[in-house]
Amino acid sequence: MNKNILCIGAGYVGGPTMAMIAAKCPDYRVTVVDVNPARIAAWNSDHLPIYEPGLDELVRKTRGRNLFFSTEIEAGIRACDIIFVCVNTPTKTFGSGAGMASNLQYCEKTARQILEHAETSKIVIEKSTLPVRTALAIERILNCQDNGICFDVLSNPEFMAEGSAIKDLENPDRVLIGARQTERGRKAQTVLVDIYSRWVPQERILTTNIWSSELSKLVANAFLAQRISSINTISALCEKTDANVSEVASAVGMDGRVGPKFLNASIGFGGSCFKKDILNLVYICRTYGLDDVADYWESVVRINDYQQKRFILTMLKAMFNTLAGKRICLFGFAFKANTGDTRESPAIAIARCLLEEHAEVVITDPQALPNARLDLASIMSTTDVTLSQSRGSLISFIDDPYEAAVSCDAITVMTEWELYRTLNYERIYNAMNKPAFLFDGRNILDHRRCYEIGFNVYPIGKTPMTHFIDDAE
Ligand SMILES: NC(=O)c1ccc[n+]([C@@H]2O[C@H](COP(=O)([O-])OP(=O)(O)OC[C@H]3O[C@@H](n4cnc5c(N)ncnc54)[C@H](O)[C@@H]3O)[C@@H](O)[C@H]2O)c1
């Protein structure tokens, strides 16, 4: 019947994706399992483990009806016909390929668990982002026993973006399903096509060979990140030449061949995927001896680091070459708006640099403060001990942005939350130390208005607006 779906991994991808499948396919029973009991408990509570607009409503509609969250992985494997693998695939931190390759241990462990507990044949779907040709390794693990149980491996990478996951899942640009080009492979592919066909128009469901599908996900993320790095390189040139990066981006983006999206200059990209997936692509290219190709893509990550360093240098230079003892407020800590996720957030790197400069750091964010606390604790544990002892009390987390800004010397916008566009900057300015600085790492504020209020304003890729007489000369 193929009506029992299991998802292994209840994270940012597993939870929302399965909630959508459960909502669109009420005749399927969807169970999401995870090794982390706290995460499963949160999925079963009123406080879901992740923030995503529209997610609460979707889970409320489906949970207990045909969507279930559980820690019973073995029972889940026995009961299901279709398994989505949504475990994490972080960058390897040890051994060969450390800092570049994907750590596939969670994925391999999952395959071995499936093999151990399956009592019937199943379709196993890679939804995690994996290096091209991982399906071969999974197939080899799964099909190593000669007991009549067969596993068909499909690749179905997830393209949703955090912050708009529910919209993206409901109305995806495309759904990609890769399969072995055999009779069995195509049959399994059809089962998954049928599930998505419940709500995704046929022409947006792409069926390809399995290697193209695995590789396309890495390439899609590399292309998206490349656009951000490209415009960020131009922001540096704009700052030297009095060109305005927003004007340049509009002029370039209006060319239909280029398009306007992902051309906002900023402090740089973050999130759990872009950097990890590009580095993985770079590593794969190097293992095939394609060093020129690897160097090209590696530069996308290098430029992202460069942009963050540039931002700190701009702050340092603007604030008279010392940040020591100055109170700096970070507006936003999430890696993007509408999420509480802070993985690889540029704010982490900026906070680290500020602490190294002996600044006092105040963090505010509408959703990400719990994760920011964990990130900062980990920064302190890896930073010089005397520094962490002396600076430990000098990090604060404050919900209310007005309160956070009180007695600060500077505000730095780290996340493009809509909230920050709408604040009363006059009130904020009045409560700050003078001269008051504003570093807009997302170019979202009305810079002229902020300048007129009294701030010294430093956007990205635009001429700063300051009240220092010698600057105007
Ligand atoms: N976050 C995104 O925006 C996004 C988008 C597209 C694709 N992806 C990819 O999807 C995958 C998952 O990403 P995520 O952000 O959901 O990660 P995540 O860390 O939020 O979730 C992964 C979950 O898998 C669980 N897990 C690990 N090993 C397990 C095992 N053996 N059995 C049961 N559970 C196990 C972990 O406990 C964790 O809860 C990654 O490969 C990622 O690259 C992520």
Side-chain angles (χ1 to χ4, degrees):
M1 284 286 286
N2 290 336
K3 295 283 186 193
N4 272 309
I5 292 177
L6 179 73
C7 171
I8 303 182
Y12 285 86
V13 170
T17 315
M18 292 306 121
M20 185 57 71
I21 291 180
K24 299 297 182 183
C25 309
D27 49 332
Y28 279 74
R29 184 187 165 90
V30 182
T31 306
V32 188
V33 292
D34 203 288
V35 279
N36 181 342
R39 215 163 205 191
I40 291 298
W43 279 111
N44 280 320
S45 76
D46 287 338
H47 301 283
L48 301 185
I50 61 176
Y51 171 75
E52 226 7 281
L55 180 64
D56 282 18
E57 203 186 336
L58 196 67
V59 170
R60 225 176 294 125
K61 198 168 112 187
T62 47
R63 194 175 56 194
R65 181 190 79 180
N66 66 331
L67 177 67
F68 303 90
F69 293 94
S70 160
T71 49
E72 308 219 337
I73 302 176
E74 296 168 14
I77 292 171
R78 279 193 294 275
C80 71
D81 313 291
I82 299 168
I83 302 180
F84 285 89
V85 178
C86 289
V87 300
N88 38 330
T89 50
T91 302
K92 225 178 144 187
T93 52
F94 54 87
S96 172
M100 301 292 284
S102 243
N103 180 346
L104 297 174
Q105 66 177 340
Y106 309 108
C107 188
E108 173 160 344
K109 184 166 180 240
T110 304
R112 289 184 188 281
Q113 269 182 309
I114 294 172
L115 177 68
E116 190 181 342
H117 300 289
E119 292 168 354
T120 54
S121 297
K122 297 178 198 308
I123 297 173
V124 176
I125 302 162
E126 302 173 339
K127 193 164 259 310
S128 296
T129 304
L130 295 163
V132 55
R133 297 196 76 80
T134 303
L136 184 62
I138 296 180
E139 281 171 353
R140 284 182 178 165
I141 292 168
L142 289 175
N143 292 316
C144 69
Q145 282 177 3
D146 190 16
N147 57 1
I149 299 178
C150 298
F151 297 94
D152 293 295
V153 179
L154 298 177
S155 160
N156 171 223
E158 186 48 61
F159 292 101
M160 59 125 217
E162 285 177 33
S164 57
I166 303 305
K167 266 198 319 213
D168 297 344
L169 288 167
E170 178 131 48
N171 189 19
D173 288 344
R174 76 315 209 175
V175 166
L176 180 56
I177 304 174
R180 287 284 200 177
Q181 299 303 293
T182 59
E183 198 183 325
R184 281 193 64 96
R186 287 203 197 89
K187 208 168 143 209
Q189 201 170 31
T190 308
V191 172
L192 192 52
V193 169
D194 286 348
I195 291 176
Y196 282 110
S197 302
R198 302 288 186 96
W199 78 97
V200 180
Q202 207 66 38
E203 64 277 11
R204 292 206 206 153
I205 302 179
L206 275 183
T207 52
T208 65
N209 92 35
I210 196 156
W211 318 125
S212 309
S213 172
E214 287 179 330
L215 184 56
S216 297
K217 173 65 194 178
L218 295 180
V219 175
N221 275 354
F223 271 56
L224 289 169
Q226 178 206 41
R227 282 176 72 98
I228 297 174
S229 280
S230 294
I231 197 68
N232 281 344
T233 62
I234 301 307
S235 74
L237 183 57
C238 286
E239 287 167 28
K240 296 281 184 207
T241 57
D242 280 346
N244 176 323
V245 76
S246 299
E247 291 174 356
V248 174
S250 311
V252 172
M254 278 175 78
D255 187 322
R257 295 167 299 179
V258 177
K261 290 186 182 166
F262 264 62
L263 283 184
N264 289 331
S266 70
I267 179 101
F269 57 78
S272 65
C273 293
F274 280 1
K275 184 174 173 187
K276 143 178 110 67
D277 292 349
I278 297 172
L279 292 177
N280 185 11
L281 185 66
V282 169
Y283 180 77
I284 294 167
C285 292
R286 291 214 193 282
T287 62
Y288 286 108
L290 302 172
D291 284 326
D292 292 319
V293 182
D295 290 346
Y296 174 74
W297 287 109
E298 198 164 17
S299 72
V300 171
V301 175
R302 221 172 32 245
I303 290 295
N304 204 50
D305 295 340
Y306 160 79
Q307 189 74 347
Q308 290 169 14
K309 282 191 202 113
R310 237 166 51 72
F311 190 80
I312 281 287
L313 286 178
T314 301
M315 286 183 75
L316 200 52
K317 194 166 157 227
M319 296 177 78
F320 323 118
N321 293 311
T322 176
L323 299 175
K326 290 183 180 160
R327 201 170 149 88
I328 316 277
C329 182
L330 269 52
F331 268 19
F333 206 82
F335 84 92
K336 68 192 285 199
N338 298 320
T339 178
D341 194 353
T342 59
R343 291 178 292 179
E344 296 292 338
S345 177
I348 297 176
I350 299 303
R352 174 188 285 278
C353 290
L354 292 175
L355 290 168
E356 283 168 359
E357 291 292 339
H358 293 197
E360 199 178 320
V361 177
V362 185
I363 297 166
T364 181
D365 188 290
Q367 291 294 338
L369 288 192
N371 281 330
R373 279 196 172 85
L374 297 174
D375 295 330
L376 266 290
S378 121
I379 288 180
M380 295 319 266
S381 68
T382 53
T383 313
D384 168 283
V385 177
T386 40
L387 177 64
S388 66
Q389 278 167 352
S390 62
R391 313 308 300 169
S393 56
L394 295 179
I395 304 173
S396 27
F397 303 89
I398 300 179
D399 281 312
D400 179 359
Y402 292 108
E403 203 189 312
V406 171
S407 302
C408 283
D409 297 277
I411 287 171
T412 64
V413 179
M414 294 283 103
T415 313
E416 69 280 20
W417 285 104
E418 191 54 36
L419 165 74
Y420 300 142
R421 290 182 213 268
T422 59
L423 296 175
N424 178 343
Y425 281 90
E426 204 143 24
R427 178 177 159 195
I428 288 172
Y429 176 78
N430 289 336
M432 287 176 65
N433 288 345
K434 308 294 177 318
F437 293 85
L438 186 63
F439 300 91
D440 188 353
R442 296 286 173 181
N443 277 354
I444 56 167
L445 302 184
D446 181 340
H447 299 139
R448 174 134 305 273
R449 168 90 189 108
C450 290
Y451 167 72
E452 282 163 2
I453 288 170
F455 283 104
N456 297 296
V457 184
Y458 294 78
I460 300 247
K462 300 177 193 192
T463 309
M465 292 185 231
T466 77
H467 298 278
F468 304 120
I469 294 160
D470 47 347
D471 266 3
E473 281 167 354

